[in-house]
Amino acid sequence: MNGATTHETIINDVKLSLKLGDITRHGTEAIVNAANSNLMGGGGVDGAIHRAGGPAILEECRQIVARQGRLPAGKTVITSGGNLKARFVIHTVGPVWYGGKNNEPDLLASAYRESLALAAAHNLISVSFPSISTGAYGYPVDEAAGIALNTVALFLKQHPGTITEVVFVLFNQATFDSYKSALTRAVSML
Ligand code: ADP
């Protein structure tokens, strides 16, 4: 542990930063929610986003599920941000960790990639992510951090254009430190 609470780098003119904190307070245009497939809220970051954003977000989620059914792992949908500073919430579902042999790495990479693709498709310039799947879903944080940073760095390299800022908002120091190490490795591999 090194005690740092913020760290940033530039990839293809995009500012990529890591911050220790609460994602519901972040003012990027969109924040990403680590949702459950039923999109009905829950614990962890999902509960925090719905509490801070108010009932409008849940109502939009209800309509989405009524229209298209449950959201599979690795997929995304977008709603307004309700009372949040962020104008939009991108809801994605990370994989539950079953030991790593159930396609967890691909599904986690897809959750990040599809979130950025949906943001870009809506011409959103800034996006914040939590550490998807590393809470209740049990994904080991060092492995999840590597996939998160490699996937985001590669996306930014391959899709220059709309997005100008990506922030990872990490809820505790151990998670922040894992992501900081993973970012250094991801940048050295680009
Ligand atoms: P999952 O079900 O995808 O594992 P969780 O919400 O249980 O999602 O946990 C994902 C991560 O989000 C964990 O690192 C958890 O500590 C973190 N987290 C919880 N609340 C917040 C918040 N308000 N802002 C940012 N991260 C949060």
Side-chain angles (χ1 to χ4, degrees):
M1 181 174 292
N2 56 24
T5 59
T6 178
H7 180 75
E8 64 184 56
T9 190
I10 305 283
I11 296 175
N12 235 9
D13 293 333
V14 179
K15 187 162 95 171
L16 175 55
S17 31
L18 311 179
K19 291 182 182 162
L20 187 64
D22 177 349
I23 199 167
T24 64
R25 296 169 177 275
H26 272 260
T28 47
E29 235 182 338
I31 64 173
V32 174
N33 181 17
N36 301 324
S37 283
N38 64 14
L39 297 181
M40 286 299 109
V45 71
D46 194 6
I49 287 172
H50 282 288
R51 274 195 303 280
I57 301 177
L58 198 60
E59 183 47 38
E60 286 179 59
C61 285
R62 242 184 227 118
Q63 289 172 14
I64 290 168
V65 173
R67 221 170 34 238
Q68 69 184 54
R70 290 162 65 88
L71 187 66
K75 299 294 181 192
T76 53
V77 295
I78 189 167
T79 66
S80 72
N83 301 328
L84 294 168
K85 272 196 219 159
R87 287 170 53 219
F88 298 95
V89 178
I90 293 173
H91 305 261
T92 189
V93 179
V96 176
W97 177 257
Y98 289 113
K101 299 217 158 58
N102 276 297
N103 211 23
E104 292 97 328
D106 286 350
L107 292 170
L108 187 60
S110 172
Y112 284 101
R113 207 169 37 240
E114 300 251 332
S115 294
L116 291 173
L118 191 57
H122 283 77
N123 295 315
L124 306 182
I125 60 167
S126 58
V127 184
S128 297
F129 284 99
S131 175
I132 298 167
S133 283
T134 65
Y137 281 8
Y139 211 118
V141 66
D142 283 340
E143 291 175 43
I147 291 167
L149 270 316
N150 288 341
T151 304
V152 170
L154 191 62
F155 184 96
L156 297 178
K157 194 175 168 203
Q158 290 175 340
H159 299 82
T162 28
I163 297 173
T164 62
E165 183 178 11
V166 176
V167 185
F168 280 86
V169 185
L170 305 161
F171 209 48
N172 57 58
Q173 188 74 51
T175 305
F176 178 92
D177 292 344
S178 274
Y179 275 71
K180 186 162 181 270
S181 305
L183 178 56
T184 307
R185 287 195 302 274
V187 168
S188 73
M189 277 163 46
L190 280 178

